[in-house]
Amino acid sequence: MTPQERDELEQQASEYALGTLAGAERTRFEKALAEHVWLQQRVDDWNRRLAPLAEAIAPVAPSPAVWSAIEARVAQGRYAEIRTSPTLWNRVAFWRWGAIGSAMLAVLLLVYVSLDLRRPAGEQVAVLTGPQGPAVVVTADARKRALTVRALADAPAGHTHELWIIAGGEKPRSLGTLATAGTARVSVPMDLAASLPGATLAVSLEPPGGSPTGQPTGPVLYSGQIVAVN
Amino acid sequence: MLGRTMPSGNPELTELIAAVARGDREGLARLYAATSPQLFGVALRIMKRRDRAEEVLQDAFVSIWQRARDYDAAKGSVMTWMASIVRNRAIDLLRRDRPSVSLDDAPGQESWASSEPDPFEATLASAEARRVRDCLGTLDEKQRRAITLAYYDGLTQEELASKLAAPLGTIKSWVRRGLLRLKDCLEP
């Protein structure tokens, strides 16, 4: 790494902690975070400097259901959950645009869809994170319909990691298992290739050989969303 | 006036986080009771929706449960350490939420209409917070505005560019230089 690259990453660390990095730049940075421990330290330092700003925010009591959920997850060891982003269709706010009319809606949908299709089919990247930070880095090329998956840790003894793709509010579909740290190539079925951008990838803990049911049976350890990197 | 009751280096919180680190679930419950309103406020400020903020708070506390062993005083006060976990999780989910077409200005969009937190107005209990506020005061107005908007509203640099009617490069410059100045002030 050149000193300029290192300096650029240091500056981005401050932006990442503040939250202003987004999209491809954010994903590239998270990829770097997964590879450089010193960079995570910089981000932690910035978090420490900025966090006292939170004191100016007024407290608000959460509903009792939140504690119940935390208690249950801690008791059952369910430390990570997939939080998929609401699709455009599911967003309540989107459907509140009653005043706009269906013709305008059709135009907007066309714009949304074509913005996605016009993205050059370059490398798409997902960084799957768990509570400890980045754990799995995924590079995807929609044209080749293959994923390169780099796992940063072995699955625990007696288990395997299984990789799932969750596209557009559908049920998870398995892309295969990853037992050890290292890099693996996984092919993406043709009918899923179009749903790669914006899809969620997740890794669950399964018995050796993967889930016996075709759906995740163990806890979700890491998850992340595919974003185009140009 | 917004008053705070969580001074930095709060011995009660330090004991509670140590208990949580030992796997004490009652310690987690007490930590939650002592800190969740403040932390939920942070989540709500960023997510703007209660349901999403509750997901963030839930994920954050499960993460705190797992990571309590890694906490030490070098990471700042217990409260700021937890606030970082909450805010980072919120930003993470928020970045996944944003669609290609911005719906933020949609009519009828549920908007979080509470007044913007102002560290210069609030009564800040901890010395840490007062120090950050004072150092923020040494920044150019544009740098300060970009940073506080980004911090409290979770805006991306593109959203800041739009809101402040400035090119992206200028926004990045305000943010980077402002943060560097802040750092130099906090750690001379």
Side-chain angles (χ1 to χ4, degrees), chain A residues 8 10-12 14-23 25-26 30 43-67 69-71 73-75 78-86 88 91-94 96-97 100 108 111-112 115-116 119 127 129 131-133 200 223-225, chain B residues 2 4 6 25 28-29 32 36-38 40-42 44 50 52 54-55 57-59 61-63 65-67 70 74-76 80 83-84 87-89 91-93 95-97 100-101 103 106-110 117-119 122 124-126 128-129 132 136 147 150-152 155-158 160 172 175-176 179-180 182-183 186-187:
Chain A
E8 177 66 12
E10 297 235 22
Q11 303 251 29
Q12 285 184 317
S14 68
E15 295 174 301
Y16 183 76
L18 182 62
T20 54
L21 282 189
E25 200 181 350
R26 180 180 172 87
E30 285 179 332
V43 171
D44 289 346
D45 290 341
W46 281 110
N47 283 330
R48 177 176 43 83
R49 288 172 196 124
L50 294 171
L53 286 175
E55 267 185 50
I57 298 172
V60 178
S63 62
V66 179
W67 174 248
I70 293 165
E71 219 178 4
R73 282 174 63 182
V74 160
R78 286 190 290 123
Y79 294 152
E81 305 230 311
I82 304 174
R83 301 269 179 222
T84 55
S85 59
L88 198 57
R91 287 189 137 236
V92 174
F94 185 81
R96 275 197 204 146
W97 287 16
I100 288 189
L108 287 169
V111 168
Y112 177 72
L115 273 178
D116 251 53
R119 263 195 208 136
V127 176
T129 57
Q132 318 291 356
T200 296
S223 67
Q225 194 173 33
Chain B
L2 304 173
R4 298 287 159 270
M6 258 127 357
R25 300 224 315 251
L28 187 71
Y32 183 85
S36 58
Q38 185 64 40
F40 187 59
V42 173
L44 195 50
R50 261 199 101 96
R52 298 296 273 171
E54 292 190 339
E55 283 175 1
L57 189 66
Q58 192 196 120
D59 291 349
F61 263 88
V62 173
S63 187
W65 168 255
Q66 289 186 278
R67 292 165 57 181
D70 300 332
K75 304 199 173 180
T80 59
S84 295
R87 192 169 174 278
N88 290 345
R89 186 58 177 162
I91 296 285
D92 212 32
L93 290 192
R95 297 290 166 259
R96 294 186 200 185
D97 273 0
S100 302
V101 174
L103 299 179
Q109 172 83 6
E110 195 177 329
D118 186 343
L124 303 172
S126 78
E128 280 183 301
V132 175
L136 259 189
I147 288 170
Y151 187 84
Y152 291 115
L155 299 188
T156 65
Q157 55 202 8
E158 286 82 9
L160 278 174
K172 279 182 93 74
V175 166
R176 288 181 173 195
L179 289 175
L180 278 176
L182 193 68
K183 176 184 163 199
L186 289 170
E187 295 152 23

Side-chain angles (χ1 to χ4, degrees), chain A residues 139-154:
Chain A
T139 321
D141 184 330
R143 263 195 305 238
K144 292 198 193 95
R145 294 198 309 275
L147 301 179
T148 306
V149 179
R150 190 161 147 246
L152 302 179
D154 293 343

